[in-house]
């Protein structure tokens, strides 16, 4: 749990601070931090190589893999909340069922 908290605060916080220093509003800066916080496939490849080469042990590998998965999966819900907070809609925030034209496009023949 500590690795997850530190990783989110370190990377997300640093990106938030950089966005604020460049003049972005708080919600936009939080979005930048959330988007940059996703680690994804590249980190999984790097920690897998570290495990294979004996640089990290299986316990640390498991913690880092779990942190990678959690921070990547939390990106979309975080961006969705920030989009709603900023008053933006769209396919992520509202989903296709909220827009009648999107529903008609998504289900051909429905009018």
């Amino acid at each position: 749990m500590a690795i997850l908290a530190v990783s989110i605060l370190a990377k997300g916080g640093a990106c938030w601070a950089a966005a604020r220093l460049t003049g972005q509003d708080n919600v936009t800066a939080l979005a930048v931090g959330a988007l940059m916080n996703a680690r994804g496939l590249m980190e999984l490849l790097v920690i897998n190589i570290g495990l294979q080469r004996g640089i990290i042990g299986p316990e640390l590998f498991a913690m880092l893999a779990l942190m990678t998965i959690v921070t990547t999966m939390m990106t979309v819900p975080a961006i969705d909340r920030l989009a709603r907070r900023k008053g933006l809609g769209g396919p992520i925030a509202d989903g296709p069922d909220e827009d009648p034209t999107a529903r008609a496009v998504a289900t051909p023949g429905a009018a």
Side-chain angles (χ1 to χ4, degrees), residues 16-64:
W16 169 83
R20 291 292 291 169
L21 286 172
T22 61
Q24 299 299 319
D25 61 274
N26 193 46
V27 175
T28 302
L30 286 170
V32 169
L35 289 168
M36 293 299 293
N37 202 28
R39 280 143 172 100
L41 184 59
M42 185 58 68
E43 183 162 328
L44 290 174
L45 291 172
V46 170
I47 63 174
N48 194 21
I49 291 169
L51 179 65
Q52 289 175 351
R53 302 269 169 106
I55 298 169
I56 63 173
E59 296 84 14
L60 182 57
F61 174 83
M63 288 186 277
L64 291 173

